Amino acid sequence: MNHDAYPDNYIRGILNSVKSIAMVGASPQNVRPSYFAFKYLAQRGYDMIPVNPGHVGKDLLGKPFVASLSDIGRPIDMIDIFRNSSHIMPVVEEALTLDPLPKVIWMQLGARDDAAAMKAESVGIKVVMNRCPKIEYGRLSSEISWMGVNSRTLSSKRAPAPTQGMRLSLNRMSVGGGDTAASDRAAKNKAEQS
Amino acid sequence: MSDRLPGFSTLAVHAGAQPDPTTGARATPIYQTTSFVFNDADHAASLFGLQAFGNIYTRIGNPTNAVLEERVAALEGGTAALAVASGHAAQVVVLQQLLQPGDEFIAARKLYGGSINQFTHAFKSFGWNVVWADPDDIASFERAVTPRTKAIFIESIANPAGSITDIEAISTVARKAGVPLIVDNTLASPYLIRPIDHGADIVVHSLTKFLGGHGNSLGGIIVDAGTFDWSTGGKYPMLSEPRPEYHGIRLQETFGNFAFAIACRVLGLRDLGPALSPFNAFMILTGIETLPLRMQKHCDNAKAVAEFLAGHPAVASVSYAGLASDKYNQLARKYAPKGAGAVFTFSLKGGYDAGVNLVSKLQLFSHLANVGDTRSLVIHPASTTHSQLDDAAKVKSGAGPDVVRLSIGIEDKEDLIADLEQALSA
Ligand SMILES: Cc1ncc(COP(=O)(O)O)c(C=O)c1O
């Protein structure tokens, strides 16, 4: 997979197929991006599991925190890692010990570890880096258009009026895919510099 | 669902708009409402906390305006956009995110006269200090960079003389200085030039001109290219630092490559207040659907009129980058191959008096202070748009006393030429 620019169908396929998502680094603080994403994905019908050893015994929007991936005790489709790039590898290594393996490992906006990605991909796990699943879901459904964001999708179909707790169709026509050409280029330059 | 890039005209008609989910209305409805009901207290809190996508109050966002925002973002190749009440409002909102009192920004000397005034006087009172540079001398931008420089501002095609700016060269200076390049793309529109493709980090427009295109609605827009890294060195605290307005959210961390557009919305528009009326957004959206058709005709007509004027005995000189002999023709071929725009100036051998006489004799051209209308327009900048500049500054910005500015409309070019012909010989 070219991690500088993802085709929309790749992201769409992931968000359309996964049901359970373990979020590593989920924060109970309601101004943290992980809290935003956790809440949004739960509202859109995903089975969300907060993973954070610092908060075991508490819950996040009604879901009990677990200390680590191995404590979940049931198969999970996707691991969404809300940690800095430098903390990705150990999480991926732990994920690779799970049985069954997760289908997807997703690294949050700003997080990228190409070596960890290669490791996961070598055993057939799909990897997404430096993206936010909330933003991608909002973009492919065009819900994010309320914020003036370029969803880079088009549709001449009448969508149902979105309500809370409803899954939205992600199957609009894509415009080019990936991010915009200019922002992809900038992200790539940044990755190469660091 | 293949990832296929639709053409510009398809985006001009479709981007951002889909049938209304509630009624099936195919044209974008005018959501003429101040506010939007919440589902429940949690939904309200999520919206106010920026956790959910949705509408609260039209000063922060409106569904009609959102269609306009996504459309222009798509046409410019940006990640997101924010529509505001006017082009000038767009400039204030952009710089409010970038500058603290005492900071500087570098601006090209060749700008719309109103922008020169705004930067020189209004912004000075905010403590935002403009430093002028000459777009024909790229080194003058480099020399103007100081540790307090926070941005560089240029026009792609500059008002009034239609000169073309070397966006790539100036973007190199901006990148080296570690500051974003802001391009006012009003006179080109994304049909002629897409500044983001040439290194712009932020694009602003007066939608009042070619994008709306019919001289009926004021508007402005800010497009985020998604290219600038706001996190370095605490230089842009509105984006990189926890915001007290939002209980400590860091916008870049939360919104990634469209954080600048969000900052403009939730820190700029929300608090400064220059919201665009949804009715104006609707009018401008309707205009944008025909932008590619209109813009090509504007340019084709402008070239024909410029050629006519260049051959007329009463005309001293024509400044139109689309003419092969023009100083900016090379840059026009590079940046605007489809046409060099439709706003340009010429000067009359008879000087100031001949200019005033011409304006009064024209029958089809309207004498008014606007550009980018379907109708052809004429003005004498020295006595109007640029009147507050001193004589030296007038000449430097291309608005000397003998200069007349035209904005060529989409009428039949033969009629425009005939009108100029009769007025020049009268
Ligand atoms: C190049 C340019 N930028 C900005 C503006 C300001 O736009 P508005 O009048 O919509 O505030 C104008 C208006 O003439 C303009 O020509």
Side-chain angles (χ1 to χ4, degrees):
Chain A
M1 177 49 58
N2 168 15
H3 293 288
D4 296 322
Y6 299 105
D8 275 1
N9 270 346
Y10 182 69
I11 304 285
R12 188 180 276 130
I14 290 170
L15 293 176
N16 272 335
S17 63
V18 304
K19 293 189 172 62
S20 54
I21 304 177
M23 185 182 283
V24 177
S27 168
Q29 243 185 299
N30 70 359
V31 297
R32 300 301 302 152
S34 61
Y35 179 94
F36 283 31
F38 190 95
K39 183 171 179 181
Y40 180 84
L41 295 170
Q43 279 175 347
R44 289 291 165 228
Y46 291 99
D47 169 14
M48 300 299 295
I49 303 140
V51 182
N52 191 331
H55 297 285
V56 175
K58 291 182 243 163
D59 65 70
L60 183 51
L61 300 166
K63 315 278 181 182
F65 275 101
V66 298
S68 70
L69 290 172
S70 30
D71 289 346
I72 294 173
R74 60 186 170 95
I76 34 175
D77 297 330
M78 174 165 131
I79 297 171
D80 183 9
I81 310 178
F82 264 88
R83 304 296 311 271
N84 292 338
S85 302
S86 56
H87 295 104
I88 298 288
M89 187 59 100
V91 181
V92 170
E93 281 168 349
E94 189 189 0
L96 295 187
T97 67
L98 299 176
D99 184 18
L101 287 172
K103 300 186 186 80
V104 180
I105 293 181
W106 190 303
M107 302 172 205
Q108 202 48 37
L109 212 53
R112 179 165 177 159
D113 181 338
D114 285 277
M118 239 165 32
K119 228 176 201 182
E121 285 176 329
S122 72
V123 295
I125 296 174
K126 288 184 181 167
V127 174
V128 178
M129 297 192 285
N130 190 25
R131 292 283 186 279
C132 170
K134 174 189 174 186
I135 290 172
E136 294 303 305
Y137 193 102
R139 189 174 73 72
L140 293 172
S141 66
S142 93
E143 197 190 10
I144 203 168
S145 300
W146 296 132
M147 312 283 286
V149 173
N150 183 2
S151 72
R152 300 186 304 288
T153 63
L154 302 179
S155 177
S156 60
K157 297 284 182 281
R158 176 176 174 180
T163 55
Q164 246 173 329
M166 187 177 92
R167 293 202 80 147
L168 304 176
S169 165
L170 306 182
N171 299 334
R172 296 158 55 86
M173 175 183 154
S174 276
V175 177
D179 241 306
T180 62
S183 65
D184 274 341
R185 241 188 342 267
K188 185 160 182 265
N189 289 343
K190 193 184 170 198
E192 279 164 7
Q193 275 162 21
S194 60
Chain B
M1 239 92 44
S2 65
D3 287 356
R4 190 179 167 283
L5 190 63
F8 189 90
S9 298
T10 302
L11 292 177
V13 171
H14 285 280
Q18 66 182 64
D20 182 59
T22 309
T23 61
R26 189 60 186 95
T28 297
I30 305 171
Y31 289 95
Q32 192 70 25
T33 180
T34 55
S35 1
F36 303 84
V37 291
F38 306 118
N39 300 336
D40 52 40
D42 181 59
H43 181 226
S46 302
L47 286 171
F48 273 107
L50 305 180
Q51 293 160 7
F53 309 123
N55 298 294
I56 301 174
Y57 187 67
T58 288
R59 175 156 43 71
I60 305 170
N62 174 281
T64 310
N65 298 19
V67 174
L68 173 63
E69 288 158 352
E70 184 170 3
R71 177 133 344 141
V72 177
L75 293 176
E76 287 285 7
T79 52
L82 175 72
V84 292
S86 68
H88 262 20
Q91 295 168 189
V92 181
V93 169
V94 162
L95 290 177
Q96 185 220 2
Q97 310 320 310
L98 304 178
L99 272 72
Q100 309 286 316
D103 283 343
E104 293 169 6
F105 68 109
I106 302 170
R109 194 169 270 129
K110 288 204 170 100
L111 291 185
Y112 163 58
S115 298
I116 296 178
N117 282 332
Q118 186 191 43
F119 294 178
T120 309
H121 303 295
F123 288 180
K124 192 173 177 192
S125 72
F126 302 165
W128 305 343
N129 300 315
V130 62
V131 179
W132 299 106
D134 179 358
D136 298 335
D137 172 15
I138 302 302
S140 70
F141 283 83
E142 276 176 75
R143 285 195 303 273
V145 174
T146 76
R148 299 225 69 158
T149 306
K150 292 296 176 71
I152 297 181
F153 187 101
I154 59 174
E155 287 177 7
S156 53
I157 299 183
N159 195 349
S163 49
I164 312 282
T165 307
D166 191 347
I167 303 170
E168 282 172 20
I170 297 173
S171 88
T172 304
V173 178
R175 203 161 317 122
K176 226 173 103 195
V179 303
L181 175 64
I182 307 163
V183 179
D184 180 341
N185 199 31
T186 299
L187 292 200
S189 90
Y191 175 73
L192 297 180
I193 300 178
R194 300 206 324 162
I196 292 172
D197 295 343
H198 301 292
D201 300 298
I202 297 162
V203 174
V204 293
H205 279 279
S206 168
L207 296 169
T208 318
K209 320 298 176 192
F210 293 100
L211 281 164
H214 294 71
N216 57 28
S217 304
L218 241 77
I221 203 158
I222 299 156
V223 182
D224 184 350
T227 47
F228 197 84
D229 181 4
W230 306 103
S231 62
T232 45
K235 205 164 158 183
Y236 299 100
M238 297 288 263
L239 287 123
S240 66
E241 299 310 304
R243 294 311 308 173
E245 300 92 327
Y246 286 97
H247 310 293
I249 288 179
R250 293 169 199 262
L251 293 177
Q252 164 143 37
E253 173 190 52
T254 308
F255 295 103
N257 65 17
F258 56 93
F260 184 77
I262 297 291
C264 288
R265 182 185 302 280
V266 304
L267 304 177
L269 181 58
R270 187 194 73 156
D271 291 353
L272 299 177
L276 178 68
S277 151
F279 181 77
N280 280 22
F282 172 83
M283 296 300 283
I284 293 163
L285 266 173
T286 305
I288 289 176
E289 292 181 7
T290 57
L291 174 70
L293 301 171
R294 285 186 290 106
M295 209 63 209
Q296 194 59 57
K297 176 99 173 173
H298 278 294
C299 290
D300 296 348
N301 280 358
K303 183 145 193 273
V305 170
E307 280 166 355
F308 160 77
L309 289 171
H312 197 282
V315 172
S317 66
V318 178
S319 159
Y320 180 61
L323 295 177
S325 57
D326 192 84
K327 179 177 168 191
Y328 297 101
N329 191 249
Q330 276 304 105
L331 287 171
R333 283 168 196 273
K334 172 174 177 178
Y335 286 105
K338 292 202 280 281
V343 176
F344 65 93
T345 55
F346 64 102
S347 61
L348 290 160
K349 287 181 183 158
Y352 186 93
D353 293 340
V356 171
N357 184 51
L358 173 80
V359 167
S360 70
K361 291 290 183 333
L362 285 165
Q363 302 287 340
L364 270 182
F365 282 79
S366 303
H367 179 206
L368 55 76
N370 191 26
V371 296
D373 194 327
T374 49
R375 287 154 279 264
S376 290
L377 314 174
V378 62
I379 201 163
H380 181 231
S383 59
T384 53
T385 52
H386 288 62
S387 62
Q388 282 157 25
L389 306 183
D390 61 36
D391 282 351
K394 275 179 192 154
V395 172
K396 270 190 183 149
S397 65
D402 54 339
V403 171
V404 173
R405 183 186 74 190
L406 300 179
S407 171
I408 301 299
I410 59 172
E411 302 97 331
D412 289 305
K413 60 176 183 285
E414 295 78 8
D415 296 326
L416 300 176
I417 290 171
D419 192 29
L420 285 162
E421 174 103 75
Q422 66 79 22
L424 284 169
S425 56

